[in-house]
Amino acid sequence: MATTLRKVGLWILLFLLMILTACEEEVSPKNEKKEPENERVADSGDKLKIGFSMDTLEEERWPRDRDFFKEAVESLGADVMIREARGDDSLQIVHAETLISAGVDVLVIVPHNAEAVATIVNKAHNAGIKVISYDRLVKNSSVDLYISFDNELVGELQAKAITKLVPKGKYVYIGGANTDNNAHLLKQGVFNVLQPLIDKGDIQIVYDQWSENWTPENAYANMQAALKTNNNEIDAVIAGNDGTASGVIKALEAQGLANKIPVAGQDAELAAAQRIVQGTQAVTIYKPIKTLAYEAAKAAIKMAEGETVKTNRKMNNGKLEIPSLLLTPIAVDKNNIDDTIIADGFHQHDQVYEKPAE
């Protein structure tokens, strides 16, 4: 009898174990499917996140870039995280690492130092994040896209405008920051135009120097040295941008030469537009920044969604031929200032034609 009961109990135990195992097999697959489905629903509700690492906001144009880019990204339904490095390479790298850690889908960089920030591109790629080089090309890196204006053409437009005014004479070139690839592209464009005239003997370059960090103060010191070296006998000046042009013009004013020597800049800053009206600056180059910011934002969203961005050039950055989207700049002088930067609302008429303080 006892043996019979033990056998019955064993059979009952085996039966219960079979039922329990069957239940586990039935429940487990459902649970395994349910968790990823919940994760996908959560992911699909998240907005894309674009990181924007900026060199500086000190010059007039960069707050415009920041605001237009933010406006464009948000209008496309994504979020943007913006960091400004205040011209500090180390801080820009730290900021980029912060954006990468925050899980941005695409990182957009305005590099302070074209060489130093190559490490940012590597860090981003290691995290599976694509990188756009905004306005300035990151050198010696595998950056995914470069979007800017045709900076070589900017230099060519500067030189064409000045040589039209001064076809022969002594020229000074006051460049931007040697660490900025754009400064080199601008200079290349300038000398594309000047070199044939130099070879003919029509133009002589009597002073040629970079201005560290693009500052007007460094450009002012350079222009002072140029004037001293040449006993004020200078016929024309081409400056890297409107900020450096302001330093040049300040040095000319100190010698009573403002309005007498044509000066070219670029960026279409308000102060430059005012100087053109007043006659102390001959030309600036207008680069519609809103167009640049919106194109960069659209490209960032497309890249984040795995789409291909249409480009129109390839630019060599010392390592690779980088797919590039280059926009067209416009030369502005007193004859077309109303039809360009004022007509576009880039600056207001009353601001441009504002009389200088007595």
Side-chain angles (χ1 to χ4, degrees):
M1 183 70 177
T3 301
T4 301
L5 289 173
R6 281 196 298 272
K7 288 181 178 180
V8 170
L10 182 61
W11 281 108
I12 291 172
L13 181 60
L14 289 171
F15 180 72
L16 290 173
L17 287 171
M18 290 172 65
I19 292 173
L20 182 61
T21 301
C23 289
E24 287 177 348
E25 290 174 352
E26 184 178 356
V27 171
S28 294
K30 290 182 179 179
N31 288 341
E32 289 171 1
K33 291 178 181 178
K34 188 175 181 180
E35 289 176 4
E37 286 174 357
N38 287 341
E39 289 173 4
R40 285 196 295 273
V41 169
D43 289 344
S44 66
D46 290 342
K47 290 183 177 181
L48 292 172
K49 191 185 300 181
I50 309 300
F52 194 24
S53 170
M54 302 188 71
D55 163 26
T56 182
L57 293 172
E58 287 300 311
E59 295 177 31
E60 180 187 304
R61 68 158 288 187
W62 293 113
R64 290 173 178 263
D65 288 80
R66 176 199 60 195
D67 295 345
F68 284 139
F69 185 78
K70 183 175 186 293
E71 176 184 283
V73 169
E74 291 177 348
S75 72
L76 293 168
D79 287 332
V80 61
M81 297 177 66
I82 302 172
R83 298 290 183 273
E84 182 229 348
R86 301 192 293 276
D88 186 319
D89 295 333
S90 298
L91 185 57
Q92 185 161 40
I93 291 171
V94 169
H95 282 169
E97 289 173 340
T98 301
L99 293 170
I100 291 167
S101 298
V104 296
D105 295 286
V106 171
L107 179 61
V108 182
I109 305 175
V110 183
H112 170 65
N113 185 312
E115 299 278 356
V117 297
T119 185
I120 293 175
V121 179
N122 295 333
K123 289 175 183 289
H125 283 174
N126 288 338
I129 298 168
K130 291 188 175 182
V131 181
I132 296 175
S133 193
Y134 180 103
D135 193 64
R136 303 171 181 168
L137 182 59
V138 180
K139 297 288 287 181
N140 295 311
S141 71
S142 53
V143 66
D144 299 283
L145 175 69
Y146 172 47
I147 180 165
S148 183
F149 289 91
D150 187 333
N151 289 293
E152 198 167 316
L153 178 56
V154 169
E156 290 176 357
L157 291 174
Q158 286 182 302
K160 286 177 181 178
I162 292 296
T163 54
K164 186 176 180 180
L165 295 172
V166 185
K168 295 182 180 181
K170 295 181 178 180
Y171 272 56
V172 168
Y173 185 76
I174 305 295
N178 189 30
T179 55
D180 184 346
N181 187 63
N182 274 12
H184 292 270
L185 293 172
L186 291 165
K187 186 174 183 179
Q188 179 62 51
V190 167
F191 279 84
N192 286 347
V193 175
L194 295 187
Q195 196 59 52
L197 298 172
I198 294 169
D199 294 341
K200 284 174 61 178
D202 290 345
I203 287 175
Q204 181 184 0
I205 305 297
V206 296
Y207 190 88
D208 179 352
Q209 189 58 262
W210 302 108
S211 300
E212 186 177 357
N213 291 327
W214 293 93
T215 66
E217 294 77 15
N218 288 327
Y220 173 72
N222 281 332
M223 193 62 209
Q224 280 186 313
L227 290 165
K228 184 176 181 180
T229 302
N230 293 279
N231 297 314
N232 286 359
E233 294 178 3
I234 291 168
D235 298 300
V237 184
I238 298 176
N241 68 355
D242 289 335
T244 51
S246 72
V248 166
I249 292 166
K250 182 180 177 182
L252 292 175
E253 286 173 342
Q255 298 298 318
L257 296 172
N259 295 77
K260 297 178 182 179
I261 298 176
V263 178
Q266 61 100 11
D267 275 343
E269 290 187 357
L270 176 58
Q274 292 170 338
R275 290 194 296 266
I276 288 172
V277 169
Q278 295 157 15
T280 56
Q281 184 168 327
V283 65
T284 186
I285 308 301
Y286 172 42
K287 301 179 292 187
I289 294 170
K290 186 172 184 178
T291 302
L292 174 65
Y294 269 72
E295 289 296 333
K298 289 189 288 185
I301 300 300
K302 282 187 175 182
M303 289 170 67
E305 294 176 338
E307 297 181 30
T308 301
V309 177
K310 186 177 181 181
T311 58
N312 55 16
R313 293 275 289 278
K314 284 188 180 293
M315 297 293 290
N316 190 294
N317 74 343
K319 181 178 181 179
L320 296 171
E321 294 290 327
I322 305 300
S324 304
L325 178 58
L326 301 185
L327 309 177
T328 303
I330 304 164
V332 174
D333 60 19
K334 63 183 179 181
N335 297 312
N336 69 342
I337 196 167
D338 288 358
D339 299 327
T340 52
I341 59 177
I342 293 175
D344 285 357
F346 191 74
H347 296 308
Q348 299 302 310
H349 182 277
D350 292 347
Q351 293 175 312
V352 171
Y353 287 89
E354 183 180 85
K355 291 184 179 180
E358 296 295 335

